[in-house]
Amino acid sequence: MKFRVERDVLADAVAWAARSLPVRPSSPVLAGLLIEADDDGLVLSTFDYETSARATLSAQVSDEGRALVSGRLLADICRSLPAKPVDMVLDGARVSLTCGSARFSLQTMPVEDYPTMPSMPQATGTVSSESFAHAVSQAVTAAGRDDMLPVLTGVRVEIDGGTISLLATDRFRLSQRELEWSPQSPDESAAALVPARVLGDTAKSLTAGGEVTIALSSGGTGEGLIGFEGAGPGGVRRTTTRLLDGEFPKVRSLFPNEKLTTARVDKASLIESVKRVALVAERNTAVQLQFADGVLTLDAGSGDEAQASESLPAEIDGEPITTGFNPQFLLDGLQAIDQPVVELAFTQASKPVVISGLVGADAAEGAGDTDSGFRYLLMPRRLLS
């Protein structure tokens, strides 16, 4: 194996492929990055039996061949190289890398012990890469991080014709994001539970091109696969991940059909107020929100401890209401909203609030609608007496 490639193209592809390498691999070869060179260029691959990544890029290949080297070490080396072409040569059990006056020699691992890469499922449809990345970043806001509840660490991806719905929950909050896409079949219908961390990293990393292809295996859940393909610097990026097993809770019904009290508030002002007031909130205590007479009053702290209070103008429709929320969860939802004005919709103080952004020409005056594609439902917290 012998080839020459541009330093920036190689460094970006190696970093992308190595990003999903396991921290504590069950086998040493799973920490490796597979380099394959042939007349078509280079293919850089990683696979840990759950998630695969494959980057193709152009290179001047003199001799075909394959080599398996430490992925993280190669990524660190490539990131430090000078801005000059990189030459790599396989010589026996070692790979030599030369870039300008810098020279490295890497020990290889047995290629024959590396697992077979999974194939991409058949394409299901395409979506704008920027829109998909943004939608996923909003949806994963509410995904769980407790590995003891693996189902809740996923994002449920529901495909219904030309619409994709993304749902995530950690039991205390729920996010829903819908976006349009171009399915292969107009009556396409499928559902998959995708690990939130993988989905978030993948969507964010595939924005170099205009579109992302989504490929969902017919297995649906459990043993199924989902694949994503998009353009990267110098070539194509493909990644697959195994779907999570288990039944995602039926969360759509948690969004109420009625609003007894609604409040419309400037988002930036509310975010800053929550941050300030939360400074005196003890761990696991709520920030109180009182909506009455065109004013939102935020309070935190109690008794002999530090206290804080701040008021904001709000357009309130319905009965006055007092409730409280985990301040970080509240901030997570507010910061995921694009619009400058947010609506908080209540049924009663002890029930969840639905937070969404106002869109439309009159949103700044509170007269827009909330059809922004993203909704965030947040459970209230018990207030200290």
Side-chain angles (χ1 to χ4, degrees), residues 46-88:
T46 59
F47 182 42
D48 65 354
Y49 291 109
E50 295 292 330
T51 301
S52 74
R54 178 174 294 180
T56 62
L57 55 153
S58 299
Q60 300 174 23
V61 177
S62 302
D63 292 317
E64 297 184 356
R66 302 197 304 163
L68 184 66
V69 299
S70 169
R72 285 201 167 86
L73 177 58
L74 182 60
D76 290 342
I77 290 172
C78 290
R79 191 162 46 241
S80 71
L81 294 175
K84 296 182 178 180
V86 179
D87 291 294
M88 293 185 70

Side-chain angles (χ1 to χ4, degrees), residues 252-320:
R252 285 183 178 272
S253 62
L254 297 177
F255 287 103
N257 294 320
E258 58 182 1
K259 306 174 185 178
L260 300 185
T261 298
T262 61
R264 294 175 170 182
V265 189
D266 179 77
K267 182 187 71 172
S269 300
L270 180 54
I271 288 174
E272 293 305 313
S273 294
V274 172
K275 287 180 178 178
R276 283 191 289 268
V277 172
L279 292 173
V280 304
E282 295 183 4
R283 181 178 173 83
N284 295 325
T285 60
V287 167
Q288 176 179 291
L289 282 72
Q290 181 179 20
F291 299 87
D293 301 324
V295 176
L296 163 58
T297 303
L298 298 91
D299 291 284
S302 62
D304 297 330
E305 303 297 329
Q307 300 180 35
S309 180
E310 187 167 339
S311 296
L312 292 171
E315 181 184 321
I316 301 170
D317 296 324
E319 295 297 314

